Amino acid sequence: MQKIATVSEMRQIARELRAKGGRIALVPTMGALHAGHAALIQEARKSADAVVVSIFVNPLQFGPSEDVASYPRTPEADLGVCTDAQVDVVFLPTVEEIYPRGYSSYVTEEAYSKPLCGVSRPSHFRGVTTILAKLMNIVRPDCLVMGQKDVQQAAVARKMIADLQFGVDVVLVPTVREADGLACGVRTRGLTASQRQEATVVQQALAKAKEMVDSGVRSTDRLIAEVTHIIGQRRRVRVIYVSIVDSVTMEAMREIVPGKSLLMIAVWVDEVRLVDNLVL
Ligand code: AMP
């Protein structure tokens, strides 16, 4: 496994991989790797000949009230995960390498990024699309492998890639969950045992919603009311949004179309922000 820190070296290695005729999959991450990331890497190995994992805590996707400095960083453990998963190249650039002094160019997607997390984190997706565009320019992958857990991020990435004609496929990997049903996540990991217990209400709400849809409920209002009610029973959990949207465009739907509608949930568990979703 090669460990690369500079853009020029990363470009050179990617060029060599392409010259061998291989397909390259890029797995963009912010590190603190867990089982969800490992599943992405596994899928990447199926979709391509060479796997590049980027580990970069992207300051641009953190809002003014969000602390980039306190985001967990576990580089040694991350390298272990990548070695075990037979990653070919790990790209770990510094902030200065990606955003040198005087940096002033950004990429924005202006439809799918607006609702849901776009409301409460207005600059977040601009940070995501900018870093993804840069990583795609550096690595020139054939596909990006992303997680269903952050499905709006993947939808925004797909739209930006299509609009800007990058010619890169987005492969979506189902959410990896822990034994209690919570999605594996960097933020979930930081919960105390009692916060974790409170947070499982999100999983209960998703399961109840799925049960209602399976029994024939199609009214999004009814489903949203039920999910909001379930979450509201936990004192330490506050709803940021509960919404039912089209899985491609992220637009709110009036009526549930099984297989096409997504239930999207974002909550605060005390001061920890969690998102989850389910295809209905
Ligand atoms: P992050 O490092 O949190 O920016 O996430 C990097 C990638 O891993 C994104 O595409 C996420 O959607 C994906 N990811 C994070 N958690 C999970 C999970 N529990 N299951 C599947 N994919 C995940």
Side-chain angles (χ1 to χ4, degrees), residues 89-200:
V89 184
V90 183
F91 180 43
L92 301 120
T94 60
V95 172
E96 295 70 36
E97 185 74 8
I98 296 295
Y99 303 118
R101 220 172 163 32
Y103 187 88
S104 60
S105 300
Y106 304 92
V107 176
T108 57
E109 188 288 324
E110 301 192 350
Y112 300 6
S113 66
K114 294 294 183 200
L116 306 165
C117 287
V119 175
S120 45
R121 305 180 76 192
S123 60
H124 173 68
F125 289 115
R126 171 182 183 259
V128 170
T129 41
T130 299
I131 189 65
L132 289 178
K134 288 172 66 78
L135 289 170
M136 286 190 286
N137 281 332
I138 297 164
V139 177
R140 294 190 38 216
D142 296 278
C143 66
L144 277 188
V145 183
M146 305 182 79
Q148 170 79 29
K149 187 186 149 262
D150 302 287
V151 65
Q152 188 178 13
Q153 173 170 292
V156 170
R158 269 201 178 117
K159 184 65 162 59
M160 179 270 283
I161 286 168
D163 284 348
L164 299 183
Q165 297 165 321
F166 271 93
V168 173
D169 298 328
V170 175
V171 177
L172 205 59
V173 176
T175 302
V176 177
R177 298 183 178 280
E178 313 237 17
D180 59 7
L182 281 193
C184 303
V186 173
R187 292 190 171 86
T188 333
R189 235 197 239 165
L191 296 174
T192 64
S194 66
Q195 285 174 329
R196 231 195 131 82
Q197 176 54 33
E198 291 274 290
T200 55

Side-chain angles (χ1 to χ4, degrees), residues 49-60:
D49 305 293
V51 176
V52 178
V53 172
S54 62
I55 297 180
F56 179 65
V57 181
N58 178 29
L60 215 56

Side-chain angles (χ1 to χ4, degrees), residues 209-224 244 253-261 280:
K210 181 75 178 151
E211 192 187 300
M212 287 170 75
V213 172
D214 289 348
S215 68
V217 175
R218 293 292 175 267
S219 155
T220 53
D221 285 348
R222 216 179 124 193
L223 218 74
I224 290 169
I244 294 170
M253 297 177 91
R254 286 193 170 191
E255 186 133 314
I256 292 155
V257 182
K260 196 175 187 301
S261 302
L280 292 172

